[in-house]
Amino acid sequence: MKNGTAIAILCCLLVLAGCNRPKTSPAPQATAHGAALVEVSGGKQVAQAGMELDQPVVVQVNDAQNNAVTGAAVVFRGPAGVSFNPASGLTDSSGQLSTIVTLGGVAGRYVIRATTTDAGGKNVELKLDEIALGYQQTLGRELNRQYCSRCHNPESTRERVSNYDNLTTKPHAFTEGDALNKMSDADLAAIISHGGPALNQSPEMPSFGYTLAKSDIQALISYIRAVADPPYHSAGVVYAKK
Ligand code: HEC
């Protein structure tokens, strides 16, 4: 009995000590439990390694009837180097919890996990992929913004009106791995340098061989490889460890 009390006190102290440790957030006390965890937004974002993602990751806890659950506890976890603000919390009145994610310093794909527990105490997990770009890939992303996205990205932004709808032959978004993974690096370099006709494709794809340096074209290719979905597998791609 005495021993039991001593151990209980020790446990309390350890828990308290745990609270003070940086980066370990106290597990929030759930007031409700859901049956499912779904992504609202924030998956498949691309950022420079070590940087914050532009958009928060937002997840939602639902019950078995697909109604949002308020007060369910959600914990976020990621590979080494990834941080969340907050790392855990309770779902709000719309059943949602939002976190700001900073990716690790190593370029690669990061699998982020959100977990909640159902009424039976079983873990329900949701996985999201995020992409961290290395230096060359980040340069490629900038060049893409400057020279390519007006045609290759069908969506317009505040800064840029997309030209996509005006094109007779529709180019692929660089995330479309199904199409772009089939092309070799040499083919990518050829079509970027010499334009569509180099690969018997539409002349609406201009040639950039005079505008861009070889190293710029390499940077674009490494960016295209990095953002491919499904992923492009080749030697030299660093996958963030689980
Ligand atoms: C003026 C519009 C336009 C711009 C700007 C443009 N492209 Fe294209 N691109 C096209 C079109 C149209 C095709 C489709 C050609 C076809 O399928 O016949 C294409 C095709 C491609 C392809 C072959 C895969 C695919 O999408 O079908 C690659 C790779 C490519 N472009 C890379 C680039 C890169 C890199 C840049 C920027 C440096 C760029 N493009 C800028 C219009 C453009």
Side-chain angles (χ1 to χ4, degrees), residues 34-40 58-64 66-67 69 72-76 89 91 95-97 112-118 123-128:
L37 192 54
V38 294
E39 175 184 349
V40 176
V58 185
V59 299
Q60 181 172 329
V61 176
N62 290 335
D63 64 16
N66 264 332
N67 298 313
V69 174
V74 176
V75 177
F76 294 102
T91 52
Q96 299 183 355
L97 183 68
I112 279 166
R113 293 148 200 273
T115 318
T116 190
T117 46
D118 68 10
N123 275 349
V124 181
E125 195 182 70
L126 171 71
K127 286 185 197 167
L128 299 174

Side-chain angles (χ1 to χ4, degrees), residues 147-148 150-152 163 167 169-172 174 180 183 188 191-192 201-202 204-206 208 212 220 224:
Y147 296 103
C148 323
R150 69 193 165 93
C151 289
H152 280 267
N163 186 36
L167 299 166
T169 315
K170 301 300 178 197
H172 295 93
F174 294 146
L180 285 144
M183 296 181 73
L188 290 179
I191 197 169
I192 299 169
Q201 294 191 348
S202 165
E204 283 176 303
M205 167 61 198
F208 289 91
L212 298 175
L220 279 161
I224 291 171

Side-chain angles (χ1 to χ4, degrees), residues 60-95:
Q60 181 172 329
V61 176
N62 290 335
D63 64 16
Q65 284 74 44
N66 264 332
N67 298 313
V69 174
T70 302
V74 176
V75 177
F76 294 102
R77 288 193 188 84
V82 178
S83 62
F84 300 92
N85 186 16
S88 60
L90 299 183
T91 52
D92 64 12
S93 56
S94 12

Side-chain angles (χ1 to χ4, degrees), residues 16 49 99 101 131 149 153 163 171 237-238:
L16 287 175
T99 187
V101 182
I131 296 172
S149 58
N153 186 341
N163 186 36
V237 177
V238 183

